[in-house]
């Protein structure tokens, strides 16, 4: 699975965005999401334990496709790849990240919010982008981007939850949605793995209903 398009198709409908502080919880968390039907995750580099957690999951749970999120610079992209990340996600787009991920042959999902950023990413050969933060008028942006950018697909993230997931997935230019609501801190702290599996299943059910209704 070498391309971001393939990875996102596999992630469809949802890419869980994880913040892991305790590496011992990383594996049961990933297993809970997998049991719920989600086989791709984004582990953010927001804690000192993130790379170790990422490494553990990809070693112990080969069915799970693990990416690194919150990748802000070239060094983090390299570290993520060394820890076994299958792809990296950034909140925004920079030319240096475009170059380094291309050089490393590391699939990259950068965040965009404007037509100019989409054009830049498109010039770099990218056709799948994170729309971030989706909470800032994401549905309107998607509808407006659909006209000029007919070959671009988006993964809205930031402000997505079970209540608005269906509305986002109904957009023809949405490949999947990302979000942290699938692994809330309270359930993680309580090690409530069944609760996390239930949230994953709920997301999959929303997507299936959407597919049945049709885009
Ligand atoms: C991200 O890094 O993609 C966002 O912080 C996730 O946003 P959410 O917490 O609103 O899902």
């Amino acid at each position: 699975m070498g391309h971001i398009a393939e990875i996102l198709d596999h992630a469809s409908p949802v890419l869980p965005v994880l913040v892991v502080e305790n590496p011992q919880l990383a594996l049961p968390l990933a297993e809970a999401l997998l049991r719920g039907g989600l086989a791709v995750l984004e582990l953010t580099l927001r804690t000192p334990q993130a790379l170790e957690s990422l490494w553990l999951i990809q070693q112990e749970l080969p069915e799970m496709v693990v990416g690194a999120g919150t990748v802000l610079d070239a060094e983090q992209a390299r570290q993520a790849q060394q820890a076994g990340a299958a792809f990296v996600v950034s909140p925004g787009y920079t030319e240096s990240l475009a170059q380094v991920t291309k050089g490393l042959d590391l699939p990259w999902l950068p965040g965009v919010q404007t037509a100019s950023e989409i054009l830049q990413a498109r010039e770099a050969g990218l056709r799948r982008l994170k729309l971030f933060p989706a909470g800032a008028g994401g549905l309107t942006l998607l509808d407006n981007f659909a006209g000029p950018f007919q070959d671009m697909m988006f993964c809205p993230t930031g402000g997505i939850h079970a209540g608005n997931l269906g509305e986002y997935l109904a957009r023809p230019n949405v490949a999947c949605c990302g979000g942290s609501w699938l692994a809330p801190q309270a359930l993680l702290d309580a090690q409530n793995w069944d609760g996390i599996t239930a949230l994953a299943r709920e997301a999959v059910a929303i997507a299936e209903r959407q597919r049945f209704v049709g885009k």
Side-chain angles (χ1 to χ4, degrees):
M1 199 176 299
H3 296 288
I4 199 72
E6 262 179 273
I7 291 168
L8 293 188
D9 287 350
H10 203 59
S12 180
V14 158
L15 181 61
V17 176
L18 310 183
V19 179
V20 178
E21 277 166 10
N22 178 355
Q24 288 180 350
L25 302 186
L27 193 57
L29 169 58
E31 285 168 342
L33 292 166
L34 194 61
R35 274 197 303 278
L38 300 179
V40 183
L41 62 79
E42 173 192 333
L43 203 153
T44 58
L45 303 190
R46 293 183 202 174
T47 64
Q49 301 81 9
L51 288 169
E52 180 187 349
S53 302
L54 194 159
W55 186 83
L56 269 171
I57 299 170
Q58 59 82 33
Q59 281 288 308
E60 302 292 329
L61 201 61
E63 311 94 292
M64 182 61 95
V65 180
V66 191
T70 321
V71 170
L72 304 181
D73 54 44
E75 184 52 25
Q76 286 185 325
R78 282 189 207 97
Q79 288 174 341
Q81 191 179 47
Q82 278 162 13
F87 65 100
V88 291
V89 184
S90 307
Y93 178 92
T94 72
E95 283 303 328
S96 66
L97 273 169
Q99 275 172 25
V100 78
T101 50
K102 197 169 192 171
L104 294 171
D105 199 20
L106 182 58
W108 180 42
L109 185 70
V112 295
Q113 258 270 324
T114 66
S116 300
E117 290 163 338
I118 296 170
L119 279 178
Q120 270 182 294
R122 199 175 169 283
E123 277 174 15
L126 301 175
R127 295 292 181 273
R128 300 287 187 279
L129 302 171
K130 168 172 169 162
L131 178 72
F132 180 78
L139 292 169
T140 306
L141 287 173
L142 287 162
D143 290 345
N144 282 281
F145 291 154
F149 300 116
Q150 294 185 0
D151 55 355
M152 304 301 291
M153 294 288 282
F154 298 92
C155 183
T157 305
I160 310 290
H161 49 77
N164 62 11
L165 176 64
E167 234 181 330
Y168 274 93
L169 290 176
R171 263 53 188 187
N173 53 353
V174 169
C176 69
C177 290
S180 63
W181 88 95
L182 295 142
Q185 197 59 47
L187 293 191
L188 257 178
D189 289 345
Q191 300 190 32
N192 183 346
W193 309 126
D194 287 346
I196 287 173
T197 297
L199 289 175
R201 285 206 178 112
E202 180 189 32
V204 171
I206 291 168
E208 273 168 11
R209 199 157 51 235
Q210 196 54 57
R211 200 167 12 240
F212 183 71
V213 173
K215 288 211 181 200

